[in-house]
Amino acid sequence: MKTRRNFLQKASLSALALHLSPFTPISAMSKEFLNTQNDDTPLRVAIMGLGSYGTRVAKAMKDCKRAKLVGVISGTPSKIEAWQKEYNIPAKNCYNYENYHQIKDNPDIDAVYVITPNGLHKEHALGAAKAGKHVISEKPMATNAAEAKEMVDGCKAAGVKLLVGYRMHFEPKTQAVINMRKDGEFGKVLFFQGLSGFVIGDPSQWRLNYELSGGGAMMDIGIYSINGARYMIGEEPIWVTAQETKNNPDKFKEGVDETIQFQLGFPGGAVASCLSTYSMNNLDKFFLNGTKGFAEMQPSTGYGPIEGRTNKGPLTQPHVTHQTLQMDAMADIILDGKEPLVPVDGEEGLRDMVIIDAIYKAVKTGGKVSLI
């Protein structure tokens, strides 16, 4: 077993960290969302895990109005030093993986954003919670539903909030489609398609290490189609079927999925057909079809501007860096108790983990797995 520091140093080598604004429709965003920005009370955040995605979040937070980066937790001293200079972080707010529990004595930090490998999320989230800090966990929130439930229960017991980094829940074009569906503009929803994938690189990275990732493409990119199916259809699935294809077993070891096709059934009669892969590019597409209309988004979850159209025309909502919107919105949730359009709490993350567990079970059994 390698050291945790080595695990986290490998995490920083991965340039692939695809992960899911305001709480209201885009038409109402300026009034309600900007009102919250007038509050001078910031959410003071320490980022745990200074790899590629942690860096992306930190840069996005420079433009936040309500959330502020004030601390770091890392096993690499050189990274801590660089971040101190880049983000003006005082030495008293810098910790490593051995002493971060001392954060409980630091009143200048309100929340810890856990952006370490999946297999360390539970340990790090519960450590932060026991220190009395609110927790934001990057997704997937854990490696399985049992771990996710432990995180939910542990944060409740500690009296702190647990949120999950579902950035797409705050993205304006995504919110516009959700609101159209809620308003009945698509009629009865019948079908959803989610295509999530890319060709992954470095075979030695932590995302291809089962102990750290808990799986493969499904954990990293397939979760977007799972979560997207739920918020686009607006229901919770009641069954799942799945099939796995593995063409490169040398790269994708036991337990690390390369490609999985999966299907979800919903109580209203809608079905979802989705693909999760680490072996194909040009896959970032959502399609929703109903009796009165449709929505198509491509790219649907990437970092750059989301593009899409519905039967009524193109989606024209403005692009704002997703992580900037996410962190300001999460500040509103933690500090003011605001309710987002789509939940981002631990229970939301737990639901995705239950579905992922069922997908892996369906792959092994070849049968339909009930979710009720």
Side-chain angles (χ1 to χ4, degrees):
M1 183 73 175
K2 300 176 184 177
T3 66
R4 184 180 302 152
R5 177 176 297 180
N6 286 338
F7 289 156
L8 294 163
Q9 287 173 337
K10 283 193 174 184
S12 68
L13 294 176
S14 174
L16 302 168
L18 286 173
H19 297 282
L20 290 207
S21 14
F23 305 94
T24 56
I26 190 67
S27 60
M29 179 177 68
S30 58
K31 180 179 178 182
E32 181 170 334
F33 185 67
L34 292 179
N35 280 348
T36 66
Q37 306 312 299
N38 293 328
D39 193 322
D40 292 332
T41 303
L43 178 71
R44 300 166 298 177
V45 179
I47 289 181
M48 174 182 268
L50 310 185
S52 60
Y53 193 71
T55 300
R56 184 179 291 274
V57 171
K59 290 180 177 179
M61 287 183 69
K62 288 182 176 181
D63 294 324
C64 282
K65 303 296 190 298
R66 195 82 198 277
K68 182 179 181 181
L69 175 62
V70 300
V72 294
I73 304 168
S74 174
T76 307
S78 60
K79 287 186 179 181
I80 293 177
E81 183 178 355
W83 279 53
Q84 280 187 271
K85 295 177 180 178
E86 176 72 18
Y87 302 104
N88 194 29
I89 297 173
K92 67 182 182 64
N93 290 354
C94 298
Y95 301 86
N96 58 45
Y97 296 108
E98 283 68 48
N99 69 9
Y100 80 92
H101 302 88
Q102 297 173 12
I103 202 170
K104 70 178 184 298
D105 299 318
N106 191 334
D108 296 331
I109 295 175
D110 302 313
V112 174
Y113 193 162
V114 178
I115 315 181
T116 51
N118 308 337
L120 301 175
H121 285 181
K122 184 187 80 168
E123 173 190 344
H124 290 158
L126 292 179
K130 289 177 182 178
K133 305 302 179 182
H134 299 294
V135 178
I136 303 169
S137 172
E138 195 41 54
K139 64 186 180 305
M141 64 181 291
T143 60
N144 55 56
E147 287 188 354
K149 184 65 163 56
E150 285 186 63
M151 292 167 66
V152 170
D153 292 344
C155 288
K156 285 182 178 177
V160 300
K161 290 186 182 295
L162 170 61
L163 305 180
V164 182
Y166 288 113
R167 60 185 168 83
M168 299 312 300
H169 292 198
F170 308 107
E171 195 280 318
K173 291 184 177 70
T174 301
Q175 289 202 332
V177 172
I178 293 171
N179 279 298
M180 289 179 70
R181 186 262 302 158
K182 292 179 71 172
D183 291 341
E185 295 188 45
F186 302 128
K188 179 178 173 60
V189 175
L190 302 172
F191 177 73
F192 172 82
Q193 180 186 49
L195 305 177
S196 301
F198 59 89
V199 176
I200 198 166
D202 181 9
S204 67
Q205 64 180 277
W206 70 263
R207 294 183 182 283
L208 299 179
N209 179 326
Y210 177 74
E211 290 183 348
L212 290 176
S213 65
M218 182 61 62
M219 287 289 185
D220 182 22
I221 189 69
I223 190 172
Y224 280 98
S225 283
I226 293 171
N227 195 255
R230 293 175 51 230
Y231 64 67
M232 294 284 273
I233 293 174
E235 295 180 352
E236 295 300 326
I238 56 176
W239 58 259
V240 60
T241 55
Q243 309 81 38
E244 180 177 12
T245 301
K246 186 174 288 192
N247 294 317
N248 189 346
D250 291 332
K251 185 173 184 178
F252 303 99
K253 307 294 185 183
E254 180 68 24
V256 179
D257 50 286
E258 178 181 353
T259 300
I260 293 179
Q261 297 179 74
F262 61 96
Q263 302 79 41
L264 304 171
F266 293 81
V271 293
S273 177
C274 304
L275 175 68
S276 165
T277 184
Y278 265 160
S279 294
M280 287 179 269
N281 287 322
N282 308 308
L283 292 177
D284 184 8
K285 180 179 179 179
F286 285 175
F287 178 75
L288 184 74
N289 196 33
T291 56
K292 294 182 181 179
F294 71 89
E296 183 176 42
M297 307 174 79
Q298 186 175 19
S300 58
T301 62
Y303 296 138
I306 301 304
E307 301 293 340
R309 64 190 180 100
T310 73
N311 53 292
K312 294 190 175 182
L315 297 168
T316 59
Q317 291 73 18
H319 171 72
V320 181
T321 301
H322 299 170
Q323 293 80 6
T324 303
L325 291 174
Q326 172 194 313
M327 295 308 296
D328 271 339
M330 286 184 166
D332 289 341
I333 294 170
I334 291 173
L335 297 176
D336 301 333
K338 293 248 179 149
E339 294 291 336
L341 178 64
V342 183
V344 291
D345 54 20
E347 285 80 4
E348 174 76 1
L350 173 58
R351 292 185 189 100
D352 279 344
M353 295 314 305
V354 168
I355 296 169
I356 288 177
D357 283 358
I359 288 171
Y360 284 141
K361 182 177 179 181
V363 165
K364 290 181 179 179
T365 64
K368 180 184 290 187
V369 177
S370 174
L371 293 167
I372 56 176

